[in-house]
Every structure is written in structure tokens, then in C-alpha cells.
Amino acid sequence: MLNKHEDDTATRKLLEEAGRSILFTAKRPPVVMERGEGMYVWDTEGNRYLDFIGGWAVTCLGHSPMVIREALDRQASTLVNASPAFYNRPMIEFAKLLTGLSGYDKAFFASSGAEANEGAIKLARKHGALRLGGASDIVTTTGSFHGRTLATMSATGKAQWKHLFAPAVPGFKHVPLNDADAMLAAVDGNTCAIMLELVQGEGGAHPADAGYVRRLRELCDERGMMLIFDEIQTGLGRTGKLFAAEHYDVQADATTLGKGIGGGFPLSALLTRDRFDIFEPGDQGGTYIGQPLAMAVGLAVVTEIVDRGLPRRAERMGEYIRDSLSSVSGRYGLGPVRGKGLLLAFDLPEPRGAELVAECLREGLLINSPQPSAIRLIPPLIVEEEHVDGMVAALCRTMDRLFA
Ligand SMILES: *Cc1c(COP(=O)(O)O)cnc(C)c1O
């Protein structure tokens, strides 16, 4: 049975109000999401959706998990906010946990991925100013995604964004992923850092090669540049390891985390080593740095990811999704599944991703199309076989209807 939309008057009224009062930034389907539990969300008309977007790789523990509800409840009744000028207890505990798990020495906390990347960019420029004769350029890869603030848009290697909101923030260069020669040609005396997603997420689940990442590490060591991993999408178990860097056995000088770290609560982090503990008072901050509610949630979410062995599970379920999809891919002319763990994508035979996403919504399935021909699957890390079977069945029904 296909989901019905805009059938009831109450929902129609909500949608009219949304059109009137919400600043337009994106085309949204005529659906108002109301409630979530585990792998599912429900809209105001009672339609149920199997969620393979997970809030964009965010709701790693599924919807409204007990650990988040309890952490928020406990912290909200203890301390909501005491200002970023003071330490608070969950902030200290969370920093200890993250540095212990990652092998880094120091953590900085913010609310969004873009903000964590801004912190990393500032740190790299500070490093350049102090130790590399004022070097300030950062090289990133074509097809990368680093956020939507002006600096992180400039860092992002998206062709469509090159002239958007000009002038761009200066100091960013882009080279193709996995092309070590291009990177070598791009760095010079004015380069302070290389910034990299180990698996390009928004770009469509394209992994970096192991040899390439090792080469970048050597290059940074030779020239004293910082190597920065943007693990906002790949971090916290998503790729089958707690950090994607573990697949490569390469340590960066700073790593940014976001998305899954808060399980749906706005939270991000910048991790680095003692050697890069170089900010001075006034350099970096923000009203919600180390916000106690966010810290309590992050502590609970990351503890749960580790205690339940969710990275291993992500690896196993990723294999199951690959196998399930490859058994039907021939029938629909789908490309091979790429990515790692539960950050997966495949190409359609035609650039009809948006159409497929819209039709899957009617089938009660949430998937994402980050590029016109690509479909990306980034479900909660708690996904089980039965959900994958349901996803593949709904996807096949939709493709039968669309591509017949
Ligand atoms: C989502 C994402 C960001 C931006 O995070 P926001 O929380 O949206 O600011 C940055 N880098 C990567 C790799 C991402 O996937």
C-alpha cells in the first residue's frame, strides 16, 4: 500500500503555514514528520517510514533512543547552561572519553560540523602563522564537502558552489581525490594544511585509497603541514571502525567529528594533539562551546556506540546490504555498491535519483540522492537484516514502477 499525503485537513493546514512562514531553502515533500522510534519515523498523517537516511548519517542509535532521553532528562534537571566561560562536569568527562578513544590529546566542542571545521581551519592557519612563515593555504579535494559557512563552503570541492555567494574565502585549493601527484603539485610554501574526507560522503561515498592517505601523511611530515581528517560523516562507527582513520592506520594532526556524535542532538568536536594546543584567549570560542546538554548527550551516545560494539555491527550490516543489493542490481542496471560500512552508495543507470527518492517516500522508505545518478544509504547503526530486506523490497517495487 502506498502512503497517502496531504489527505487530512490538519496536515494540509500545517503545510500551508510552512509555505507562508518558513524561509525557503529547500524543496521539501508535502510531509510533516512527527515521531520517531528505532528505525522508523511517522508523519502527521500516520504514515510510517523505514529510515535509511538517519537524519543524514546522524541518528546512529535510531530515533529517540532511551540513552539520549535519559541523558537529556538528567542533565536538564541538573544544569542546562552555565556559560562557556566555565568548565562543566559532562564536558570534562566527554573530552576524556573522546581523547582516550581516538588517541588525541585535546578536544574542542561546538554545535555543527561546519563549526568544527572552521575551528580546524583556524587552527591550521594559526599553525601556519606561528611555524610556517605565515603559510595560510589549505588544499582539499574535488567533490569534498566540508560545510555551509562561508569558509567551509570555500573549502568544499563542489563545482556548483565555486561562484555561489562570491567572493569566496581565499586560501583554498582543490585537487582530485586519490591523485597524489596533483596534491604534490598543489602544495607550496604557502600551504599550512591538507584537509580530507576519508570517504567522501556528500560526494557519493567515494573512499580515499590507502596508499594515497599514507602519501599525504608523508607529505605533511616533510613540509610541517597539518593533516586534517574531516570525519564528520565517517566518524563514530559509520564506516565499520570507530574512526575511519583506523582503516588506513594513519594518524592525522586534527580530526573533526559531527553528525553521529550527538545521535541527532546538535554537537560536533575538533580533536587534536598537544602540539597544536596553540589557540590564545580570544582566538576561538562560541556561546555553545561545551554546552552541558550536548556534552551529556555526546557522552551517552559515544559510550553506547562503544559498549554495544556498533562499529563491528556497521561493518557486518554493510556487507549484508552490499550482498542484498548486488542480487538485484543486474535486473535494474545498478552500478556496484561503493563506500565502507554503513556509508554506501550506488549509481542508477540514469540521472533519476530525485525521482526515485520521491517515489520511495510514497513506498514508506527514506533514502537519499546526493548526486543526480547516485543513491546513498546511511541508516542508523542499529539497522537489522529485516530492515535491509524491507528496504530492498521497497526499492525494487519502486524501481519496477519507475523504470519498467
Ligand atoms: C555534514 C558534513 C559537514 C557539515 O556538518 P554540519 O553539521 O551540517 O555543519 C562537514 N563535513 C562533512 C564530511 C559532512 O558530511
Side-chain angles (χ1 to χ4, degrees), residues 125-141:
R125 286 188 174 184
K126 184 92 188 184
H127 168 69
L130 291 176
R131 298 169 181 152
L132 299 173
S136 58
D137 284 355
I138 298 176
V139 188
T140 72
T141 59

Side-chain angles (χ1 to χ4, degrees), residues 69-252:
R69 279 147 58 191
E70 283 176 354
L72 275 175
D73 192 33
R74 217 179 316 119
Q75 191 58 43
S77 30
T78 313
L79 176 69
V80 170
N81 200 1
S83 123
F86 304 106
Y87 293 124
N88 63 70
R89 189 183 293 275
M91 175 194 209
I92 298 165
E93 289 172 5
F94 191 32
K96 177 167 187 258
L97 176 70
L98 276 182
T99 51
L101 289 170
S102 63
Y104 279 109
D105 304 308
K106 294 277 156 63
F108 168 82
F109 297 110
S111 308
S112 68
E115 219 181 336
N117 280 344
E118 288 271 344
I121 292 165
K122 285 187 187 177
L123 196 59
R125 286 188 174 184
K126 184 92 188 184
H127 168 69
L130 291 176
R131 298 169 181 152
L132 299 173
S136 58
D137 284 355
I138 298 176
V139 188
T140 72
T141 59
T142 316
S144 64
F145 182 85
H146 299 295
R148 289 175 174 278
T149 59
L150 284 173
T152 55
M153 279 184 84
S154 301
T156 293
K158 226 171 143 159
Q160 309 92 289
W161 281 11
K162 219 176 162 78
H163 303 291
L164 202 58
F165 307 122
V169 174
F172 294 97
K173 289 187 197 170
H174 304 97
V175 294
L177 178 68
N178 290 330
D179 184 341
D181 292 338
M183 185 62 82
L184 200 58
V187 302
D188 58 24
N190 199 37
T191 312
C192 63
I194 292 172
M195 185 159 153
L196 182 75
E197 288 172 271
L198 291 167
V199 182
Q200 285 186 346
E202 304 304 307
H206 297 287
D209 299 335
Y212 175 72
V213 178
R214 277 197 301 274
R215 186 72 197 90
L216 297 191
R217 177 68 273 178
E218 286 165 11
L219 192 58
C220 286
D221 288 342
E222 284 160 20
R223 298 178 175 241
M225 305 181 299
M226 281 182 83
L227 180 62
I228 301 167
F229 289 158
D230 177 345
E231 290 228 40
I232 288 165
Q233 189 152 158
T234 57
L236 284 321
R238 171 70 40 194
T239 67
K241 302 273 186 200
L242 192 59
F243 302 99
E246 295 169 38
H247 291 288
Y248 296 87
D249 207 15
V250 170
Q251 290 268 9

